[in-house]
Amino acid sequence: MMQDIAFTGKGKVYFDEQQQQQLEKGIRLLVGASSLLIFLMAVDLMTSDYSPYSTKLHFFILVVVTFLSSFIFWWLAGRTYNDAKWKPLSILLAGLFSLFWAVLSIVLNHPSHLQTVFLYGEIYILVSVVAFFGYRPALLLAATPIVCAFLIASPNLTPTLFFAYASKLLLALCVSEYLNHCFRDLVLLNYDSRNLKHQLKAVSLIDPVTQLHNNRHFNIELDREVMSARRSKLPLSVLVINIQPIRLYTFTCGHEASDELLRIVSKALEHGAYRPRDFIARISVDEFALILPETNGEGAAIVAERIEANIHNSCDLWIERDLHTELLMKSAIVEWNQHMSMKTLLNRIKRAITKINTYDIE
């Protein structure tokens, strides 16, 4: 017996969702297979010379009651807008179709009909194993009444026959248990794979040094904010910042000291742009960009002044102590308007970055 997998937290929620989806597919399989089997049984009765009128009448009454009940169950389930409806619906339909085959095996007394009912009933049990291996109550309700009815309807009930039907029921339960554990293993594998992809995606959008968003994430978020600003017809500004001499500090003091300085700069940026939707990204070695939703050029200039003050307060001592020079911050503001495309906005941001970098070659 395979070890049972215990899901907790989000894993448990994910497993329940997958189980409900499997039950939905299982119910559709059960209804479709049962409809086909009942149709074949109807053809057998209509073409048989041993079927009296009363037997055909009882059969068709039973068919009408079964499908009318299943339609009512399905209609009621459709009025429930949550995934938990599939468990009670699976129990109702499994019991309904199982009861149909059980009653049919008792109603049809002719040996030739009983053989057909027994064959189709065993096929129904096999379909139930495939449909409800993830939900034992529905499987038991689908298989047990049929087995009991077959034992009652059998012309010669012997211990061997009883053992044979009991073995079939036990085999069905064992197969369903094995399928259930395979299903749980597959769900766990998919859950771990999904989490791994999510983590890798998150890592690919985060700058490893400053823990700010990187240039790729900046482009994604900028596109989202442009669409939001276009819908709401509110202003949007992008603040581009270049800080010197971070490159020189790296060459002089090493990468570890430079990384520590960058982390201090990132904290100063976060303290200067503290609204929840303000988006801060590191787009190159010494360049940063801020997306400021619902902010015009004047508001962006105020944010730039606040950030510059924070950076000077945090980093001046580091730069003066190690490089004996002053920290320099340059910034540019790019305002978006309703007639500007995403491509045009990105081109203006690139030109702004080029403009604030001109002092490097002067």
Side-chain angles (χ1 to χ4, degrees):
M1 184 69 70
M2 298 174 62
Q3 183 179 2
D4 193 57
I5 300 171
F7 291 93
T8 57
K10 293 183 178 179
K12 179 65 167 60
V13 174
Y14 179 76
F15 176 75
D16 290 341
E17 291 175 352
Q18 295 301 310
Q19 187 184 47
Q20 296 290 351
Q21 293 178 11
Q22 190 275 326
L23 277 179
E24 179 183 359
K25 296 176 182 177
I27 290 173
R28 298 181 187 278
L29 172 64
L30 183 79
V31 173
S34 299
S35 301
L36 177 60
L37 293 175
I38 292 174
F39 172 76
L40 294 176
M41 190 68 210
V43 172
D44 182 78
L45 283 176
M46 293 297 295
T47 57
S48 175
D49 297 331
Y50 304 102
S51 303
Y53 176 79
S54 59
T55 300
K56 296 178 181 178
L57 179 62
H58 293 157
F59 172 78
F60 285 109
I61 291 176
L62 190 59
V63 170
V64 171
V65 171
T66 300
F67 279 101
L68 183 60
S69 301
S70 62
F71 175 79
I72 293 174
F73 294 157
W74 196 279
W75 179 76
L76 291 175
R79 299 179 64 86
T80 305
Y81 300 99
N82 60 73
D83 291 334
K85 64 185 178 184
W86 297 113
K87 284 188 176 181
L89 183 60
S90 64
I91 290 178
L92 290 172
L93 291 179
L96 179 64
F97 285 107
S98 177
L99 188 62
F100 170 84
W101 293 108
V103 174
L104 191 63
S105 64
I106 298 175
V107 170
L108 301 182
N109 295 321
H110 197 275
S112 62
H113 296 332
L114 281 179
Q115 291 178 1
T116 307
V117 173
F118 289 175
L119 175 62
Y120 291 163
E122 290 178 354
I123 295 176
Y124 171 80
I125 293 176
L126 178 61
V127 172
S128 301
V129 171
V130 177
F132 300 130
F133 64 83
Y135 192 48
R136 297 183 189 93
L139 175 61
L140 290 172
L141 194 58
T144 306
I146 295 181
V147 173
C148 295
F150 284 1
L151 290 174
I152 296 174
S154 297
N156 299 314
L157 182 58
T158 61
T160 303
L161 185 62
F162 180 84
F163 177 76
Y165 278 113
S167 299
K168 290 180 181 179
L169 180 59
L170 181 62
L171 181 61
L173 294 176
C174 291
V175 171
S176 69
E177 190 70 18
Y178 177 76
L179 292 176
N180 185 39
H181 280 285
C182 292
F183 174 73
R184 293 174 70 88
D185 285 342
L186 182 61
V187 170
L188 178 62
L189 180 62
N190 289 338
Y191 179 72
D192 289 341
S193 177
R194 190 185 69 165
N195 282 346
L196 180 60
K197 290 180 181 179
H198 180 74
Q199 292 172 5
L200 291 175
K201 183 178 179 181
V203 169
S204 67
L205 298 178
I206 298 296
D207 177 64
V209 176
T210 62
Q211 298 302 306
L212 297 176
H213 307 284
N214 60 17
N215 187 52
R216 178 187 175 192
H217 200 183
F218 170 77
N219 291 332
I220 296 174
E221 188 65 23
L222 182 61
D223 185 46
R224 184 183 295 114
E225 289 295 348
V226 166
M227 289 189 293
S228 176
R230 183 172 285 115
R231 287 194 302 268
S232 62
K233 297 182 179 181
L234 293 174
L236 172 68
S237 298
V238 177
L239 175 62
V240 182
I241 296 174
N242 181 286
I243 299 176
Q244 287 294 323
I246 288 182
R247 293 176 185 266
L248 179 60
Y249 193 88
T250 303
F251 298 147
T252 305
C253 302
H255 287 285
E256 291 186 3
S258 175
D259 290 348
E260 185 63 28
L261 178 62
L262 284 170
R263 283 189 281 269
I264 294 175
V265 170
S266 67
K267 294 297 182 183
L269 290 169
E270 291 175 343
H271 292 158
Y274 41 73
R275 294 186 308 174
R277 284 181 61 189
D278 291 346
F279 188 88
I280 310 172
R282 184 189 179 193
I283 57 177
S284 71
V285 176
D286 52 1
E287 291 166 356
F288 301 84
L290 285 78
I291 303 176
L292 303 172
E294 303 180 13
T295 305
N296 56 19
E298 295 178 358
I302 295 174
V303 175
E305 292 176 1
R306 185 166 62 238
I307 288 176
E308 184 173 8
N310 289 343
I311 290 177
H312 280 295
N313 292 335
S314 303
C315 304
D316 279 349
L317 292 179
W318 286 66
I319 300 298
E320 291 176 0
R321 181 192 65 190
D322 297 329
L323 298 182
H324 306 290
T325 185
E326 294 183 354
L327 180 143
L328 178 63
M329 169 183 154
K330 280 196 171 184
S331 62
I333 299 172
V334 179
E335 290 188 74
W336 175 85
N337 59 64
Q338 292 289 333
H339 304 289
M340 188 181 298
S341 65
M342 181 67 182
K343 182 178 180 180
T344 303
L345 178 60
L346 288 175
N347 289 334
R348 291 195 178 186
I349 292 173
K350 291 179 181 178
R351 288 198 295 269
I353 293 174
T354 302
K355 183 178 179 181
I356 62 177
N357 278 328
T358 53
Y359 67 86
D360 288 334
I361 58 177
E362 289 178 350

